[in-house]
Amino acid sequence: MAEVTQTGRVTEGIRSRIATRSLCAGDRLPSVRRSAADFGVSPATVVEAYDRLVAEGLIAAVPRSGFFVSHLAGAPQGPAAHAPLREHEIDPFWVSRQSLDSSQSIDKPGCGWLPPDWMPQRALQKALREVSRDGDLLTLYGTTAGDPVLRRQIALRFAAEGLECDPDRILLTQSGSQAIDLICRLLLVPGDTVLLDDPCYFNYQALIAAHKVRAVSVPFLRSGPDPAAFESIVAAQRPRLYITNSNLHNPTGGSLSLTSAHRLSGIAAAHGMVIVEDDIFADFAPGVPTMAALDGLSGVIRVGSFSKTLSAALRCGYIAARPEWIDALTDLQLATGFGGPPPIATSAISRVLAGGGYRRHMEELRRRLARARQAMALRLTAIGIVPQGDPVGGFTLWCRLPDGVDSAVLARRCLARDVVLAPGNVFSPSQSATSFLRINVAHTSDHALLQLELSMRGATP
Amino acid sequence: MAEVTQTGRVTEGIRSRIATRSLCAGDRLPSVRRSAADFGVSPATVVEAYDRLVAEGLIAAVPRSGFFVSHLAGAPQGPAAHAPLREHEIDPFWVSRQSLDSSQSIDKPGCGWLPPDWMPQRALQKALREVSRDGDLLTLYGTTAGDPVLRRQIALRFAAEGLECDPDRILLTQSGSQAIDLICRLLLVPGDTVLLDDPCYFNYQALIAAHKVRAVSVPFLRSGPDPAAFESIVAAQRPRLYITNSNLHNPTGGSLSLTSAHRLSGIAAAHGMVIVEDDIFADFAPGVPTMAALDGLSGVIRVGSFSKTLSAALRCGYIAARPEWIDALTDLQLATGFGGPPPIATSAISRVLAGGGYRRHMEELRRRLARARQAMALRLTAIGIVPQGDPVGGFTLWCRLPDGVDSAVLARRCLARDVVLAPGNVFSPSQSATSFLRINVAHTSDHALLQLELSMRGATP
């Protein structure tokens, strides 16, 4: 055990010298004897550490000459890695790239997930250790529709919301996004139109663009689109699909009222439009009526995932829909990915759900987030950034900037100060959210707030 | 610890009664006191076990009445689960469904993977336990292109094959199939043609069908397609893509000669056809020349995965290609799945690779498979089933049946005897492999051989 730690110390030491460019591609590493002296470890430990770095491709062994930094080590690792992100327009990919690929040390008020220490790490760790003891789970493909125990658990949670759904009508997928992608592949043909909210989750726009179909949008107000406006767009444009978050809408934080849910699903049914209800935030605000429950999963498809509430690293989404659609989607996922989420992930999630740890985690998380939203709303208001509405749950606030501040300009300035924002227009199909910003209350440090304030001064006309 | 085992014993006992229908949906469970006596455990243990089954949706608690088997328990679990598989034609999905969804207790000479005890379980378990101790890996999304350490390790393995590839030209994907799917989404437009081998991996046909493009095929001989035939098809049909396994071709087990690899990639380049070289079996026969190495990843795209050699449960594939294609594929994977493989999986794979355990595992596996192929070839020949050629590696044999035996008929008969086969025509675009069968040497027990022999007697005219 002590030996492992020492080897780790040497590998980390070398890695950091390469990351900070004090050792560059082609440079020769200190001899084993020299490194042993430098790190105060045995030569055998250094040999083990060098072997590990060779196996990682970071260094290469040249017979009779020693060890050299590999040309494969080109891309810097660790702290220095955030600098050279590809330059891109502020398009729907902007937030994804910046928040996923920037270094962990960067503040990310714009990101769309919770920090690791807000997640139930102990329960996850325990579940994963249990899974790792099962040779079948550890090595085999899963079944085509995914772990039957997890599907039953999802059906059980639906039942608590008033949605009756046989577990056979649930398909596990590799993510919530992939769930929607599969549905688009099944139901859309070239020339079709898809209805989105304005604003909406930015990745819906990227997804629709990937399908080469036409997107139209309807303004999303506090409790959903205005039914009359919705109906006239549906009647005029004849969209095949409407993709929405009815509960804690991203980015506005609004939720459908029961009346809206009833009206919208009625209009959709009347016009033969399928609704994809992405309820990825449902567990942050249980009890909000879903269109899936009203409609009984006839013309409404419900999708979700565990990425926001449990772990984004396990990668598991799901689809609940008509049986014949689930059959076709199962075949489609088989053809295009040879199956769904990793069995190790679905089994770990199922164990966390079964143990009661998830319920307790969500209760605590909702309390903690309510406090965090309230505190952040006060602090943002104090610097002129005003949260809109009062979301009943979740981890983001949709905020209006002071007059004249352009959120795209602000986002670029903040990025130069190592702070990643989510500017309004990445969410807006009509590009009409210039003065809005989505703020993640769990990812906004004092430092980030200060940088935001400083950047804003410069961005005011 | 003893308490956990007792709870497990009770939950398993109840699960098995439900699976075998000795308890049906709506039935009331024995009282806590009664079960405690039956299982010889404390009432507290029974309460814990019942709570767990409630959390799994298998049973429901009705206040003041007791516990009842849930209607969600409808689909039988465990040993009884294999019976009611959906009836389908013997199409390209047939083997996938039968081998993935049938019970573990069924013999599967037709399946396309190794049994759990042929995989490096100890190294995987150790890696996964290490990963589970890292809160970031356990909860966060990965970077858009995937773990940089694993990408560097893949580049290093390419270098050993003579393929120079910067790690930035590698994208990690959710599986090998999904890698090919992404490439098809990027490069194909409606009306395009794709060239496949005949026979070929059955899922390529399902994948091409999902893209609604046209498939044409070229006969695959022992060392690849005949170059003249290949060129005339390419010239006449102008396919945009050719998808193939050049090393241990599935299902024939053939591998390209250096001459064939050179000729085919030259013909492709001359006609502007992109080659997708799916080298998922490469590590079973290292040293076979790849078209990717000859071409330098210009018009050849290399894909692969760790599902066959390490674990299918971790779900990780990869693509190596031109930088501009990798950029576009990264965006496409973001739009359609919000990222690639689970960070817990990529980090676990990277740890196994770095530890040297993978190299040792593959060396042992190749020796073990060589013995198994030889032994199985003798036994099959003895009952009139003749392996074609002599594959240099891998775990399957492509076999010719005795005159007059139809492999589809044989597959149906064997399924009735609880043995899943892979009949030749699921691999054959032209349906010309009626008398062939792909046999997995690691999944064919004495029992399966006997059933095969008995079924064959009935299938001979």
Side-chain angles (χ1 to χ4, degrees):
Chain A
M1 192 66 195
E3 189 65 13
V4 172
T5 310
Q6 288 192 336
T7 309
R9 201 158 52 79
V10 179
T11 54
E12 278 314 307
I14 302 292
R15 266 198 208 101
S16 117
R17 287 186 205 172
I18 295 172
T20 58
R21 304 275 183 187
S22 82
L23 278 172
C24 294
D27 285 358
R28 185 175 168 162
L29 265 71
S31 69
V32 168
R33 186 180 304 265
R34 172 69 186 278
S35 273
D38 287 356
F39 286 98
V41 298
S42 71
T45 300
V46 175
V47 168
E48 197 183 327
Y50 281 15
D51 279 351
R52 193 175 296 179
L53 294 168
V54 168
E56 282 186 13
L58 211 53
I59 68 174
V62 179
R64 279 183 299 278
S65 299
F67 292 88
F68 293 81
V69 178
S70 163
H71 68 280
L72 298 177
Q77 300 301 316
H82 64 77
L85 263 189
R86 286 186 282 160
E87 262 304 317
H88 279 284
E89 287 305 298
I90 295 191
D91 60 16
F93 285 113
W94 196 86
V95 178
S96 315
R97 287 192 201 100
Q98 296 297 344
S99 54
L100 293 170
D101 288 343
S102 300
S103 152
Q104 294 271 27
S105 61
I106 280 195
D107 271 307
K108 300 175 183 174
C111 84
W113 56 86
L114 287 168
D117 56 354
W118 291 59
M119 293 303 213
Q121 291 186 21
R122 199 163 303 175
L124 285 167
Q125 184 179 2
K126 179 166 175 281
L128 213 51
R129 289 170 76 104
E130 282 174 25
V131 170
S132 77
R133 284 195 287 268
D134 183 320
D136 288 2
L137 287 175
L138 205 52
T139 58
L140 290 177
Y141 290 98
T143 53
T144 57
D147 185 354
V149 176
L150 182 54
R151 287 188 284 127
R152 211 161 52 222
Q153 290 169 317
I154 293 168
L156 196 67
R157 291 165 61 217
F158 286 166
E161 299 170 9
L163 169 59
E164 290 216 7
C165 173
D166 190 277
D168 286 345
R169 295 178 65 173
I170 297 173
L171 171 68
L172 302 186
T173 64
Q174 290 167 350
S175 69
S177 301
Q178 194 239 359
I180 300 175
D181 184 52
L182 281 174
I183 294 164
C184 289
R185 290 178 89 151
L186 181 69
L187 297 181
L188 297 179
V189 295
D192 271 350
T193 298
V194 173
L195 178 60
L196 298 175
D197 297 313
D198 188 3
C200 67
Y201 171 42
F202 50 79
N203 209 43
Y204 293 160
Q205 297 175 70
L207 180 61
I208 293 311
H211 282 273
K212 303 184 178 76
V213 291
R214 198 168 65 99
V216 294
S217 63
V218 58
F220 192 95
L221 315 172
R222 284 310 296 172
S223 56
D226 171 66
F230 185 82
E231 181 156 32
S232 75
I233 290 172
V234 172
Q237 307 282 345
R238 300 259 158 214
R240 175 75 178 116
L241 287 183
Y242 169 46
I243 306 174
T244 190
N245 316 112
S246 51
N247 189 345
L248 296 178
H249 176 262
N250 184 2
T252 67
S255 291
L256 286 198
S257 65
L258 185 55
T259 311
S260 287
H262 176 70
R263 289 286 301 278
L264 300 185
S265 55
I267 294 165
H271 289 85
M273 178 179 73
V274 173
I275 296 179
V276 179
E277 190 172 38
D278 178 1
D279 252 342
I280 193 164
F281 303 106
D283 289 346
F284 288 109
V288 171
T290 64
M291 294 186 283
L294 290 174
D295 164 85
L297 287 178
S298 161
V300 177
I301 299 175
R302 163 135 182 186
V303 308
S305 120
F306 297 93
S307 296
K308 306 302 181 190
T309 52
L310 198 61
S311 164
L314 291 174
R315 311 252 72 198
C316 176
Y318 52 84
I319 305 175
R322 287 187 197 175
E324 67 273 23
W325 286 346
I326 290 296
D327 281 356
L329 290 164
T330 305
D331 283 352
L332 195 53
Q333 184 166 244
L334 202 52
T336 59
F338 207 65
I344 51 164
T346 53
S347 182
I349 292 169
S350 161
R351 278 156 210 261
V352 175
L353 295 186
Y358 182 74
R359 200 190 61 243
R360 288 191 298 275
H361 158 68
M362 285 311 302
E363 285 166 2
E364 170 55 25
L365 193 53
R366 286 193 292 265
R367 280 194 294 271
R368 189 175 175 186
L369 282 170
R371 289 193 299 269
R373 285 195 308 274
Q374 198 168 26
M376 187 57 63
L378 289 173
R379 301 189 65 183
L380 288 167
T381 306
I383 58 170
I385 299 178
V386 185
Q388 306 294 295
D390 183 15
V392 294
F395 50 83
T396 61
L397 296 172
W398 181 241
C399 303
R400 182 186 283 278
L401 294 170
D403 280 352
V405 178
D406 180 324
S407 60
V409 174
L410 188 63
R412 285 192 190 284
R413 290 193 182 180
C414 276
L415 191 62
R417 296 168 180 269
D418 281 356
V419 173
V420 172
L421 298 183
N425 275 350
V426 304
F427 302 96
S428 176
S430 67
Q431 297 290 290
S432 58
T434 308
S435 50
F436 290 87
L437 203 58
R438 189 191 69 183
I439 297 272
N440 185 325
V441 301
H443 266 287
T444 305
S445 66
D446 289 351
H447 172 79
L449 273 175
L450 179 64
Q451 300 311 314
L452 188 53
E453 194 180 359
L454 291 172
S455 306
M456 216 163 43
R457 281 188 201 156
T460 322
Chain B
M1 192 64 197
E3 188 64 13
V4 172
T5 311
Q6 289 191 338
T7 309
R9 201 158 52 79
V10 179
T11 54
E12 278 315 307
I14 302 291
R15 267 199 207 100
S16 116
R17 288 186 204 171
I18 295 172
T20 57
R21 305 275 184 190
S22 82
L23 278 171
C24 294
D27 284 358
R28 185 175 168 163
L29 266 72
S31 69
V32 169
R33 186 179 304 265
R34 171 70 185 277
S35 273
D38 287 356
F39 285 99
V41 298
S42 71
T45 300
V46 175
V47 168
E48 197 185 326
Y50 281 16
D51 279 351
R52 194 175 294 179
L53 294 168
V54 168
E56 282 186 13
L58 211 53
I59 67 174
V62 179
R64 279 184 300 279
S65 299
F67 292 88
F68 293 80
V69 177
S70 163
H71 69 280
L72 298 176
Q77 300 301 317
H82 65 77
L85 264 190
R86 287 185 281 159
E87 261 303 318
H88 279 284
E89 286 305 297
I90 295 191
D91 59 16
F93 285 112
W94 195 86
V95 178
S96 316
R97 288 192 200 99
Q98 295 297 344
S99 54
L100 293 169
D101 288 343
S102 299
S103 153
Q104 294 271 28
S105 61
I106 281 195
D107 271 306
K108 300 175 182 173
C111 84
W113 56 86
L114 287 168
D117 57 355
W118 292 58
M119 293 303 214
Q121 290 186 22
R122 198 163 303 174
L124 285 166
Q125 184 179 2
K126 180 165 175 281
L128 213 50
R129 290 171 76 105
E130 283 174 23
V131 169
S132 77
R133 284 195 287 267
D134 184 319
D136 288 2
L137 286 175
L138 205 52
T139 59
L140 290 176
Y141 290 97
T143 53
T144 56
D147 185 354
V149 176
L150 182 55
R151 287 188 284 128
R152 212 161 51 223
Q153 290 169 316
I154 293 168
L156 196 68
R157 291 164 62 216
F158 286 167
E161 299 171 9
L163 169 59
E164 290 217 5
C165 173
D166 190 278
D168 287 345
R169 295 178 65 173
I170 297 173
L171 171 68
L172 302 186
T173 64
Q174 290 167 351
S175 68
S177 301
Q178 193 239 359
I180 300 175
D181 183 52
L182 281 174
I183 294 164
C184 289
R185 289 178 89 151
L186 181 69
L187 297 180
L188 297 179
V189 295
D192 272 351
T193 298
V194 173
L195 178 60
L196 298 175
D197 297 312
D198 188 4
C200 68
Y201 171 41
F202 50 79
N203 208 43
Y204 293 160
Q205 298 175 69
L207 181 61
I208 294 311
H211 282 273
K212 304 184 177 75
V213 291
R214 199 169 65 99
V216 294
S217 62
V218 58
F220 192 95
L221 315 172
R222 283 309 297 170
S223 57
D226 170 67
F230 185 81
E231 181 156 32
S232 75
I233 291 172
V234 172
Q237 307 283 345
R238 299 261 157 211
R240 176 76 178 115
L241 287 184
Y242 169 46
I243 307 174
T244 189
N245 317 111
S246 50
N247 189 345
L248 295 179
H249 176 261
N250 184 1
T252 66
S255 292
L256 286 199
S257 65
L258 186 55
T259 311
S260 287
H262 175 71
R263 288 285 301 277
L264 300 186
S265 56
I267 294 165
H271 290 84
M273 177 179 74
V274 173
I275 297 180
V276 178
E277 190 172 39
D278 178 1
D279 252 341
I280 193 164
F281 303 105
D283 289 346
F284 288 109
V288 171
T290 65
M291 293 186 284
L294 291 175
D295 163 85
L297 288 178
S298 162
V300 177
I301 299 175
R302 163 135 181 187
V303 308
S305 122
F306 298 94
S307 296
K308 305 303 180 190
T309 53
L310 199 60
S311 164
L314 291 173
R315 310 253 73 196
C316 176
Y318 52 83
I319 305 175
R322 286 187 198 176
E324 67 273 21
W325 286 347
I326 290 296
D327 281 356
L329 291 165
T330 305
D331 283 352
L332 194 54
Q333 184 166 244
L334 202 52
T336 58
F338 207 64
I344 51 163
T346 54
S347 183
I349 292 170
S350 161
R351 278 157 211 262
V352 175
L353 295 187
Y358 181 74
R359 200 190 62 242
R360 288 190 298 274
H361 157 68
M362 285 310 303
E363 284 166 2
E364 171 55 27
L365 193 53
R366 287 192 291 265
R367 279 193 295 269
R368 188 174 175 185
L369 282 170
R371 289 192 300 268
R373 285 195 308 274
Q374 198 168 25
M376 187 58 61
L378 289 174
R379 301 188 65 182
L380 288 168
T381 306
I383 58 171
I385 298 178
V386 185
Q388 306 294 295
D390 183 17
V392 293
F395 50 84
T396 60
L397 296 172
W398 181 241
C399 303
R400 182 185 284 278
L401 294 170
D403 280 351
V405 178
D406 179 326
S407 60
V409 174
L410 188 62
R412 286 193 189 284
R413 291 194 182 176
C414 276
L415 192 62
R417 296 168 179 268
D418 281 355
V419 173
V420 171
L421 298 184
N425 274 349
V426 303
F427 302 95
S428 176
S430 66
Q431 298 290 290
S432 57
T434 308
S435 50
F436 290 87
L437 203 58
R438 189 192 69 183
I439 297 272
N440 184 326
V441 300
H443 267 287
T444 304
S445 65
D446 289 351
H447 172 79
L449 274 176
L450 180 63
Q451 300 311 313
L452 187 53
E453 194 180 357
L454 290 172
S455 306
M456 216 162 44
R457 281 187 202 157
T460 322

